[in-house]
Amino acid sequence: MKKTILLTVLVLNGLTSFAQSNDEKNIKLFYKKALTESKCYTWLEYLSNDIGSRLSGSPSAAAAIQYTKHQLETLGLDKVYLQEVMVPHWVRGEKEAAYILDNKIKTVVPICALGGSVATAKTGLTAEVVEVQGIDELKTLGDKVKGKIVFFNRPMNPENIETFTSYGACVDQRFAGAKEAAKFGAVGTIVRSMNLRLDDFPHTGAQSYGDLPKEQYIPTAAISTNGAELLSKSLKVNPALKFYFKQSCETLPDVLSYNVIGELTGTVTPENIIVVGGHLDSWDLADGSHDDGAGVVQSMEVVRILKNLNYKPKNTIRAVLFMNEENGGKGGAKYEEVAKQNKENHILAVESDSGGFTPRGFSIQADDANFKKIQGFKDFFEPYLVHSFTIGHAGSDIDHLTSKTIVKAGLKPDSQRYFDYHHAANDKFDAINKRELELGAATMTSLIYLIDQTGIILPTAN
Amino acid sequence: MKKTILLTVLVLNGLTSFAQSNDEKNIKLFYKKALTESKCYTWLEYLSNDIGSRLSGSPSAAAAIQYTKHQLETLGLDKVYLQEVMVPHWVRGEKEAAYILDNKIKTVVPICALGGSVATAKTGLTAEVVEVQGIDELKTLGDKVKGKIVFFNRPMNPENIETFTSYGACVDQRFAGAKEAAKFGAVGTIVRSMNLRLDDFPHTGAQSYGDLPKEQYIPTAAISTNGAELLSKSLKVNPALKFYFKQSCETLPDVLSYNVIGELTGTVTPENIIVVGGHLDSWDLADGSHDDGAGVVQSMEVVRILKNLNYKPKNTIRAVLFMNEENGGKGGAKYEEVAKQNKENHILAVESDSGGFTPRGFSIQADDANFKKIQGFKDFFEPYLVHSFTIGHAGSDIDHLTSKTIVKAGLKPDSQRYFDYHHAANDKFDAINKRELELGAATMTSLIYLIDQTGIILPTAN
């Protein structure tokens, strides 16, 4: 008996090490193809420089849908199609204006309306300012903000190594600040940009009035970090100063738009689906090269590499370019709705929506068994300096996927520079490094390959 | 007896975990101080934007010496001083000119003289071109290059994850190409810039004629990668085309210059010295913000953090800002010469000369025992995403240190973008990210602290 067991172990070991060596070779090939012949940088150049910003409902978002669909069609995938989705259509209108009015001296500061905000009166809005560090402090002030502009000025904490941690601890004042301030009778809100640097770029982003009646909506805008510092200092000297801003944004009727999908159909269990995606929409202030042009072209690159290598996936592998992540999430929700209708079985969803920087690892949403399984892949990634596999949020678009057996993984690039560009006018193609972008695509390809080969661990039936 | 052993183990374990927890706290503090109050970004802004390029022997190199000495003096260190060193003084002269001359059509291409090169005749140099992939191919051609310009066009290999590997495999054609081509009667050499991107920046760098008699020196220049691609394509169509270039660089008499040194004197074994350094000189085409303004200000930041925390080092800790790394290495050699004269005992040397990007780890020169010791620190660095501790070259300046017991460590930042800027006109302050720079300083501080606390492992006496 002992002998038999020993033999089995040896054979298994032999098989394992053969398989590993083969996987290592394939992964090496993915990186090689990404670094030597990728199309993702060229695709992004076109998306950014020729099409430009791609806010949901805009003509350029429509152009991006046609462009990426066409590019996917050139790859020889098994299916390329559009998935209809109705999306909100918010427009900024003419460029905002703002100044600090301090003893009749006007100091112009850079602002931009937050996505979904209402306009000010055509003549603008002037009011005294109450500075707070967040919604909690606002609540302690209560009616004292009545008739005033609430200035949310909590900065992102520079001490965190992962900048997304600092973003997560701050973004409530942008997303819900106006709604909360309106409840106490504030007439507008100004929010410090979610940016760790001191500079002159205002950073837009989604905000929501929640259940507030429409007549209570108040205009809300982001101010650059330098502008926020100046306003705060000026308020310390003269708490009675006023702030003026004018914006003419509005929400138009919803628009028909699309998710773009390219598919390599599975050859063994085609009913099991692996998704890799990013979001095709961007904010309107720049090209959205990092957010999320990068994720879009990396996802396209994943299927390009696999197809180019004539890889026959066991499971169906889909690149999904989601529409409307930024201000509604309608694309992600629609994808899940259709998946449910079709009773599709998603086993893995990978999203890249943290910028096109050097990949460091994955942020994983999975049960213990599958998390350990993915951690077990660490050695495969070590030669590529991909080292960080942690439990955490994987991606906004794939958040919508609710299958019980699904494993989700968000590509985790180096995060130091992300908020320099996020939702601001400098998120442009020149902020992209070709190799960093390509390494991200290869890293996603490798994880998808490993899961396609070995499957996920299904929960034990009770 | 069994009981006693058990007790000892427990007590030791208790001590170890107490010590570790204290070290963890201190390292956390180093990162916090770097990310919230560092001076390194401000210092670099001044070095780059107010002083500018700092080629050895130039007035701006002299200004940088005075500035950094003064800044170190403000930190309240135990000693700040200059160390005299004679350095070469090469000057570029007026801006170079070059074009491809193809059937009387002139196409201008961007070039720059390599450091140490001689000038062309005042009217420039025109000759036919022989393209080679490196010195080996040159040698097979031999006298066929007589009277011609040799064009070294081996590109950096994009497949390597670490870009320095690709640099190391290419740089011989820049450093020794002219010397080798001159031996076969070539009249000049043009070298493809050491750059993984295709762009219009020529990248300069050191070259040496070695033992060649002076009358055999030929002019040599780098051409931008786009220029190299164009020249190569044009040669395929018309191998008889000519290349024209003109440069007026020259080598002037050596100049007195200085290493800048700031010291925290050891409180237990002051005779044991830990060095942390970068090089103060840069090439002349830009500010040298990454190469190596970053390493300079990070080294200054290390001693600033330690002093600011009132840390009493066991060993002497020196920030050394080396002069003349780029074209001579005289500063590093002088430092070692003086150290030998003074019979100083260096135990650790840390250098930052790979750019101010997100730190990934250290490249270590040490014996097995000390390498394992440093690898044992890995857990301390994990929260800061510093994960790569490998055997490799540590730094050009600290290369000169020859003490048998010394451990050397080169800070290893993310390398993807380094060669976009290296020795080119775009190595400027706007290519620096404040947080990435600061993280590098904190990472060096942490390693130095750990070695200062625990020492290095001395070789067993035989």
Side-chain angles (χ1 to χ4, degrees):
Chain A
M1 194 57 196
K2 235 179 173 176
K3 248 184 179 170
T4 317
I5 287 175
L6 192 66
L7 202 66
T8 314
V9 168
L10 279 173
V11 169
L12 279 174
N13 279 348
L15 277 174
T16 307
S17 57
F18 171 75
Q20 282 211 340
S21 146
N22 215 30
D23 289 341
E24 279 167 21
K25 278 185 205 158
N26 284 333
I27 289 171
K28 191 169 182 180
L29 203 52
F30 302 150
Y31 277 92
K32 177 177 173 167
K33 288 193 100 56
L35 289 169
T36 59
E37 54 154 64
S38 83
K39 291 202 170 182
C40 56
Y41 191 69
T42 315
W43 284 328
L44 187 55
E45 187 174 19
Y46 190 89
L47 262 188
S48 296
N49 291 342
D50 292 76
I51 294 179
S53 70
R54 303 171 297 281
L55 189 57
S56 290
S58 66
S60 47
I65 290 163
Q66 293 310 318
Y67 172 68
T68 50
K69 176 169 179 271
H70 177 70
Q71 291 303 318
L72 285 170
E73 282 166 350
T74 65
L75 300 182
L77 306 177
D78 297 309
K79 283 186 199 167
V80 176
Y81 58 101
L82 301 182
Q83 185 173 65
E84 291 191 354
V85 54
M86 293 301 292
V87 296
H89 187 200
W90 177 84
V91 293
R92 184 170 302 279
E94 58 185 72
K95 192 167 160 51
E96 302 84 348
Y99 52 77
I100 299 167
L101 183 62
D102 189 354
N103 290 315
K104 293 187 183 166
I105 297 168
K106 294 178 184 177
T107 309
V108 171
V109 287
I111 68 153
C112 65
L114 292 182
S117 175
V118 293
T120 57
K122 280 190 179 166
T123 51
L125 166 67
T126 309
E128 285 190 1
V129 178
V130 179
E131 176 177 341
V132 295
Q133 292 298 298
I135 290 169
D136 287 347
E137 189 182 350
L138 167 73
K139 288 181 177 169
T140 66
L141 294 176
D143 292 342
K144 287 178 191 159
V145 306
K146 195 168 180 176
K148 298 191 175 167
I149 290 169
V150 174
F151 168 36
F152 291 96
N153 193 29
R154 184 159 87 262
M156 287 175 72
N157 183 352
E159 290 176 38
N160 296 312
I161 304 301
E162 287 281 11
T163 59
F164 283 91
T165 310
S166 305
Y167 180 68
C170 254
V171 71
D172 64 331
Q173 59 186 357
R174 186 197 78 203
F175 189 75
K179 177 185 77 174
E180 297 299 332
K183 289 180 187 167
F184 296 113
V187 293
T189 66
I190 295 292
V191 185
R192 183 191 182 97
S193 286
M194 304 288 121
N195 177 7
L196 283 148
R197 292 202 299 196
L198 290 175
D199 65 26
D200 297 321
F201 292 102
H203 293 227
T204 191
Q207 71 90 32
S208 167
Y209 297 113
D211 296 332
L212 215 60
K214 274 199 174 167
E215 60 276 14
Q216 286 182 34
Y217 287 9
I218 58 172
T220 176
I223 186 169
S224 73
T225 47
N226 276 339
E229 293 286 301
L230 178 67
L231 179 55
S232 182
K233 276 177 200 156
S234 306
L235 281 168
K236 281 180 184 64
V237 179
N238 177 14
L241 65 73
K242 291 187 174 176
F243 192 85
Y244 164 87
F245 72 114
K246 192 176 93 161
Q247 55 193 33
S248 55
C249 42
E250 60 179 318
T251 300
L252 303 175
D254 286 1
V255 167
L256 177 63
S257 189
Y258 304 91
N259 294 325
V260 182
I261 303 175
E263 180 175 309
L264 287 169
T265 307
T267 55
V268 179
T269 47
E271 68 280 12
N272 289 347
I273 295 165
I274 293 174
V275 162
V276 57
H279 64 85
L280 194 48
D281 64 310
S282 77
W283 280 105
D284 59 321
L285 295 173
D287 309 327
S289 291
H290 278 294
D291 187 15
D292 183 25
V296 163
V297 298
Q298 287 172 328
S299 300
M300 293 165 70
E301 181 68 20
V302 170
V303 288
R304 188 201 70 79
I305 290 172
L306 294 174
K307 177 64 191 175
N308 182 278
L309 286 168
N310 203 23
Y311 178 68
K312 303 288 180 204
K314 294 182 180 175
N315 309 283
T316 293
I317 298 178
R318 270 188 202 154
V320 182
L321 318 180
F322 296 95
M323 184 47 66
N324 187 233
E325 188 273 346
E326 292 295 4
N327 59 338
K330 300 296 185 193
K334 172 59 75 172
Y335 181 83
E336 164 67 357
E337 187 189 317
V338 174
K340 266 195 176 157
Q341 280 166 7
N342 296 343
K343 296 188 178 156
E344 289 177 350
N345 181 38
H346 283 74
I347 61 168
L348 172 69
V350 181
E351 182 156 358
S352 166
D353 185 20
S354 303
F357 307 99
T358 302
R360 307 293 298 267
F362 289 98
S363 181
I364 295 157
Q365 282 173 255
D367 58 13
D368 259 15
N370 282 295
F371 179 55
K372 277 183 191 142
K373 179 184 166 83
I374 293 179
Q375 282 190 313
F377 295 149
K378 262 190 149 179
D379 287 354
F380 287 118
F381 288 98
E382 207 198 330
Y384 311 100
L385 304 177
V386 172
H387 63 101
S388 175
F389 296 79
T390 54
I391 287 287
H393 182 241
S396 304
D397 294 295
I398 59 176
D399 254 0
H400 296 274
L401 291 166
T402 56
S403 156
K404 274 185 190 165
T405 55
I406 197 169
V407 170
K408 300 180 186 177
L411 183 68
K412 202 159 68 172
D414 194 280
S415 77
Q416 299 311 320
R417 286 173 284 150
Y418 188 63
F419 292 97
D420 296 358
Y421 306 115
H422 183 243
H423 299 179
N426 58 344
D427 184 5
K428 293 177 120 172
F429 188 66
D430 63 8
I432 297 283
N433 176 280
K434 181 171 179 282
R435 291 175 56 84
E436 296 184 351
L437 184 75
E438 291 165 347
L439 287 168
T443 301
M444 293 205 294
T445 309
S446 303
L447 179 63
I448 285 165
Y449 163 82
L450 288 167
I451 292 284
D452 183 57
Q453 285 293 306
T454 62
I456 60 168
I457 299 164
L458 296 175
T460 322
N462 283 321
Chain B
M1 196 55 197
K2 233 180 177 177
K3 247 185 182 170
T4 319
I5 288 176
L6 191 64
L7 201 66
T8 314
V9 169
L10 279 173
V11 169
L12 279 174
N13 279 347
L15 276 174
T16 307
S17 55
F18 171 75
Q20 281 210 341
S21 147
N22 214 30
D23 290 341
E24 279 167 19
K25 279 184 204 161
N26 284 333
I27 289 170
K28 191 169 182 180
L29 204 52
F30 302 150
Y31 278 91
K32 177 178 172 165
K33 288 192 99 59
L35 289 168
T36 58
E37 55 154 65
S38 82
K39 290 201 171 183
C40 56
Y41 190 69
T42 316
W43 284 328
L44 186 55
E45 186 174 19
Y46 190 90
L47 263 186
S48 296
N49 291 343
D50 292 76
I51 293 177
S53 70
R54 303 173 296 281
L55 189 57
S56 290
S58 67
S60 48
I65 290 162
Q66 293 309 317
Y67 172 69
T68 50
K69 176 170 180 273
H70 176 70
Q71 291 302 318
L72 286 169
E73 282 166 349
T74 65
L75 301 181
L77 306 175
D78 297 311
K79 283 184 198 168
V80 175
Y81 58 101
L82 300 181
Q83 186 172 64
E84 290 189 352
V85 54
M86 293 302 291
V87 295
H89 188 198
W90 179 83
V91 292
R92 185 170 301 278
E94 58 186 72
K95 191 167 161 50
E96 303 83 348
Y99 54 77
I100 299 167
L101 183 62
D102 189 356
N103 291 316
K104 294 190 182 164
I105 296 169
K106 294 178 183 177
T107 308
V108 171
V109 287
I111 68 153
C112 66
L114 291 181
S117 175
V118 293
T120 58
K122 279 189 184 170
T123 51
L125 167 67
T126 309
E128 285 189 3
V129 178
V130 179
E131 177 176 342
V132 295
Q133 293 297 299
I135 290 169
D136 287 348
E137 188 181 350
L138 166 74
K139 287 180 177 169
T140 66
L141 293 175
D143 292 342
K144 288 179 191 159
V145 305
K146 196 169 180 175
K148 300 194 174 166
I149 291 170
V150 174
F151 168 36
F152 291 95
N153 193 28
R154 183 158 87 262
M156 287 175 72
N157 183 351
E159 289 176 40
N160 295 311
I161 305 299
E162 287 281 11
T163 59
F164 283 90
T165 309
S166 305
Y167 180 69
C170 254
V171 71
D172 64 328
Q173 59 187 357
R174 186 196 78 204
F175 189 76
K179 178 186 78 176
E180 296 301 332
K183 289 180 187 167
F184 296 111
V187 293
T189 66
I190 295 292
V191 186
R192 182 190 182 97
S193 286
M194 304 287 120
N195 177 8
L196 283 149
R197 290 203 299 196
L198 290 176
D199 65 26
D200 297 321
F201 292 102
H203 293 227
T204 190
Q207 72 88 32
S208 167
Y209 298 113
D211 296 335
L212 217 60
K214 274 200 176 168
E215 59 277 13
Q216 287 183 32
Y217 289 6
I218 57 172
T220 176
I223 186 169
S224 72
T225 45
N226 276 338
E229 292 287 301
L230 178 68
L231 179 55
S232 182
K233 275 176 203 159
S234 306
L235 281 167
K236 281 181 184 64
V237 179
N238 176 13
L241 65 75
K242 292 188 173 178
F243 192 84
Y244 164 87
F245 72 115
K246 192 177 94 159
Q247 55 193 34
S248 55
C249 42
E250 60 180 318
T251 300
L252 304 174
D254 286 359
V255 167
L256 177 62
S257 190
Y258 303 91
N259 294 325
V260 183
I261 303 175
E263 180 175 308
L264 286 169
T265 308
T267 55
V268 179
T269 48
E271 68 279 10
N272 289 347
I273 294 166
I274 293 173
V275 162
V276 57
H279 64 84
L280 194 48
D281 64 309
S282 77
W283 280 105
D284 60 321
L285 295 173
D287 311 324
S289 289
H290 278 294
D291 186 14
D292 184 26
V296 163
V297 299
Q298 286 173 328
S299 300
M300 293 166 71
E301 181 68 19
V302 169
V303 289
R304 188 201 70 79
I305 289 172
L306 294 174
K307 178 64 190 176
N308 182 278
L309 287 169
N310 203 23
Y311 177 69
K312 303 290 180 202
K314 292 181 180 176
N315 308 285
T316 293
I317 298 178
R318 270 186 203 154
V320 182
L321 318 180
F322 296 95
M323 183 48 65
N324 187 230
E325 188 273 345
E326 293 295 5
N327 59 339
K330 300 295 185 192
K334 173 57 76 170
Y335 182 84
E336 164 68 356
E337 185 189 320
V338 174
K340 265 196 177 155
Q341 280 166 8
N342 296 342
K343 298 187 175 154
E344 289 176 349
N345 181 38
H346 282 74
I347 61 168
L348 172 69
V350 181
E351 182 155 358
S352 166
D353 185 20
S354 303
F357 306 98
T358 302
R360 306 294 298 266
F362 289 97
S363 180
I364 296 158
Q365 281 174 257
D367 58 13
D368 260 15
N370 282 295
F371 178 55
K372 277 183 190 143
K373 180 185 166 83
I374 293 179
Q375 281 191 312
F377 294 150
K378 261 190 151 179
D379 287 352
F380 287 118
F381 287 98
E382 206 198 332
Y384 310 101
L385 305 177
V386 171
H387 62 103
S388 174
F389 297 79
T390 53
I391 287 288
H393 182 242
S396 303
D397 294 295
I398 60 176
D399 254 359
H400 296 273
L401 291 166
T402 54
S403 156
K404 275 185 190 165
T405 56
I406 197 168
V407 170
K408 299 179 187 177
L411 183 69
K412 202 159 65 169
D414 193 281
S415 77
Q416 300 312 321
R417 286 173 285 150
Y418 189 63
F419 292 97
D420 295 357
Y421 307 115
H422 184 241
H423 298 178
N426 57 344
D427 184 4
K428 294 177 122 174
F429 188 66
D430 62 9
I432 297 283
N433 176 279
K434 182 171 178 281
R435 291 175 57 84
E436 296 184 352
L437 183 75
E438 292 165 346
L439 287 168
T443 302
M444 293 206 293
T445 309
S446 303
L447 179 63
I448 285 165
Y449 163 83
L450 289 167
I451 293 285
D452 183 56
Q453 284 292 307
T454 62
I456 60 168
I457 299 164
L458 296 175
T460 322
N462 285 320

